[in-house]
Amino acid sequence: NGVALFTVVLVMAVSVILGTAVLSFALSDTRLAANQEHHLQAEYIARAGADAAAQYVQDHPSSFPSGGFSDKTVGDSLGEGSFSAVIKPSSGAILVTSTGTVSGTTATVNLKLSKESYSSLFDGIRQTEPESELDLKLLGIYHDPSDTVKVESTSTITLSPNNPTNVGDPNIKTELNYDPPGAIVVPDSSAFSGTMVSVKNGGDTTITVTGSIRLTSLDKRNKDTIIFDTEGGIQTVVVDTLSFDGSQGTVDIIGGGVVQLYILNSGSINNPVNVNSDGTMKNPAQLFIYVCDGKTLSLQANCELSAYISAPNATLEIQSSGTRLNGAMVGNIIEKNGAGNGPNGEFHYVPLPDSVDYSGYLAYARDYYYGN
C-alpha cells in the first residue's frame, strides 16, 4: 500500500509539472502571438502616420520651405493605437519618422520626401496603370533627330508600325519605369489675389490674368482670348474647373515667365483652340498643367496645346486625330474618347533643356524604410 501511495503521489507530481509546463508554453505562445499582432498593427499605424504627416507637408507647403524649417511633430489616435510623427529637414529633403504604438508595443517607419525636378518628371510618356496597355499605334511621335524619345510605362508599349517617323528610327526608344509617380502638391492659395472668383468671357473679348490667382472656374467662349501675363516670373493659377471652348480665339502666355496651372476638378480644351501655340510649336516650358488625383483633362478635337502635363493619378483623354500636344505628359490612364482605346492625334515630344529647373510646388517622391 505504501508503494502504491508513493507511485500515485509521484505520478500526480509529474502530471502537475507537465501540465504547468504545457500551460506555460501555451501562455507564452499566446503572448508571442499577441505581441506579433500588436507589432504588426503598430507598424501599419506607423506607416499610416507617416502618410498623414506627408499629407500635412503637402497641404502646408509654405511651412516647409526648401531653405530649412524647425522640426514639427504631428500625432493622433488611430484604430486601436496611436502614432507620433516627427517632420524634419534632411539634406535638402524632408524626413518623416513615425512611431506607432499599440498596447505598449511600438514600431517605427521612416519616410523620405523629396521634390522632383521638372526634368525628372517629364522624361516622356509615363503610364502607371498596370492592367492597361499603353497603345501608341495611332499616336504619331515627332521629335528633333538629335533627341531621344523616352516612352515610360509599367505595361506593354506598341509603337506605330505604319508611321514612317517611327520605323527604324534609332532615336526612338522604350524604357520601362516601375517607380511610383509622385503626388500632386497643390500650393496654398489662401493669399492669392482673386481668391475663389470665376473668369468667364462673353464672346469676342479679351481677359488678361496677372499674378497668382485662385479661381472657381476659368472659361473661354467662342472668339475669346485669354492672356496670362507672367511678368517675368512664375504665375500660379489654381482653378476648380477649366473650359477652353470655341471655334476661334487663343490662350496665350506673355511676359517671358512660366504658368503653373493646377486643375482641382476637371478640365476640357475643346475644338479648335490653340493654347500657347500658333502652329510653330511655341515653347512648352512656359506652361505646366497639373491635374489632381482621380480627375480628367480632356484634349478634344483639333485642340493644339504646347505644355507639360502632370497627371500621375488622373486621366488624360486625347479625343481626336486632330489633337496635337507639344511637350510631354505624365498620366495614370491615357485614352481616346474615354472608351479605353489607344490615344490618337499627334504627340510632339519636346524634352526640357537641362538648364530648365524652375523651383516651385512640384510632385513629391516618397521613399519608405522601416526601423531607425
Side-chain angles (χ1 to χ4, degrees):
N1 290 338
V3 173
L5 178 62
F6 175 76
T7 303
V8 170
V9 171
L10 180 61
V11 169
M12 291 179 63
V14 171
S15 298
V16 169
I17 293 172
L18 290 176
T20 302
V22 170
L23 179 61
S24 176
F25 285 135
L27 291 175
S28 178
D29 286 344
T30 301
R31 285 194 296 268
L32 180 61
N35 288 338
Q36 289 177 336
E37 181 180 358
H38 291 158
H39 186 272
L40 185 61
Q41 290 176 328
E43 198 171 87
Y44 282 132
I45 289 176
R47 180 154 183 156
D51 284 325
Q55 188 63 48
Y56 182 87
V57 172
Q58 295 180 44
D59 291 342
H60 303 82
S62 59
S63 300
F64 302 95
S66 56
F69 56 88
S70 299
D71 293 2
K72 183 173 182 61
T73 301
V74 296
D76 202 354
S77 298
L78 192 61
E80 298 180 3
S82 62
F83 74 88
S84 177
V86 179
I87 307 169
K88 59 184 178 182
S90 176
S91 303
I94 296 175
L95 181 64
V96 177
T97 300
S98 175
T99 300
T101 302
V102 176
S103 299
T105 302
T106 63
T108 299
V109 172
N110 292 286
L111 180 151
K112 186 176 182 181
L113 282 171
S114 57
K115 284 189 176 181
E116 300 277 13
S117 68
Y118 279 117
S119 296
S120 62
L121 277 177
F122 298 106
D123 285 336
I125 304 173
R126 180 194 292 266
Q127 186 211 15
T128 61
E129 183 66 39
E131 293 83 11
S132 303
E133 177 178 320
L134 178 57
D135 187 354
L136 304 181
K137 289 184 290 186
L138 299 177
L139 185 61
I141 297 181
Y142 304 84
H143 65 100
D144 186 324
S146 63
D147 294 322
T148 296
V149 173
K150 266 189 174 181
V151 181
E152 302 184 8
S153 175
T154 59
S155 57
T156 304
I157 297 174
T158 305
L159 293 177
S160 172
N162 54 6
N163 187 334
T165 309
N166 294 342
V167 175
D169 190 334
N171 289 310
I172 294 184
K173 300 178 182 179
T174 61
E175 298 182 8
L176 294 182
N177 189 323
Y178 293 94
D179 296 332
I184 295 297
V185 182
V186 180
D188 182 3
S189 59
S190 58
F192 287 0
S193 63
T195 301
M196 295 301 291
V197 299
S198 176
V199 174
K200 181 177 291 187
N201 290 12
D204 201 14
T205 60
T206 297
I207 287 181
T208 300
V209 180
T210 58
S212 294
I213 190 169
R214 171 73 167 92
L215 301 169
T216 53
S217 64
L218 180 58
D219 298 333
K220 176 201 168 299
R221 307 288 184 88
N222 187 36
K223 297 184 180 179
D224 289 338
T225 297
I226 293 180
I227 298 174
F228 294 100
D229 187 352
T230 62
E231 300 176 319
I234 294 180
Q235 181 181 21
T236 302
V237 179
V238 181
V239 61
D240 286 337
T241 60
L242 178 141
S243 176
F244 292 158
D245 202 349
S247 59
Q248 299 179 45
T250 60
V251 178
D252 288 319
I253 297 172
I254 64 173
V258 174
V259 173
Q260 292 182 331
L261 178 60
Y262 291 83
I263 300 175
L264 304 186
N265 291 326
S266 63
S268 177
I269 300 176
N270 297 337
N271 55 309
V273 54
N274 297 328
V275 181
N276 192 30
S277 182
D278 57 5
T280 59
M281 291 181 61
K282 288 185 177 179
N283 179 13
Q286 288 183 293
L287 177 59
F288 293 86
I289 299 176
Y290 301 91
V291 186
C292 286
D293 292 2
K295 308 305 179 182
T296 298
L297 174 61
S298 176
L299 307 180
Q300 300 199 16
N302 298 324
C303 158
E304 182 160 349
L305 173 64
S306 289
Y308 288 83
I309 303 174
S310 178
N313 300 299
T315 298
L316 299 175
E317 290 184 1
I318 301 177
Q319 295 279 356
S320 165
S321 59
T323 302
R324 182 183 186 190
L325 172 66
N326 309 318
M329 53 187 169
V330 177
N332 184 45
I333 302 175
I334 302 172
E335 63 184 5
K336 173 187 175 183
N337 296 332
N341 300 319
N344 62 355
E346 294 182 5
F347 173 70
H348 296 249
Y349 176 71
V350 184
L352 276 168
D354 293 336
S355 59
V356 176
D357 188 19
Y358 303 105
S359 61
Y361 300 101
L362 303 180
Y364 276 106
R366 299 188 185 191
D367 181 24
Y368 294 94
Y369 54 98
Y370 292 87
N372 295 317

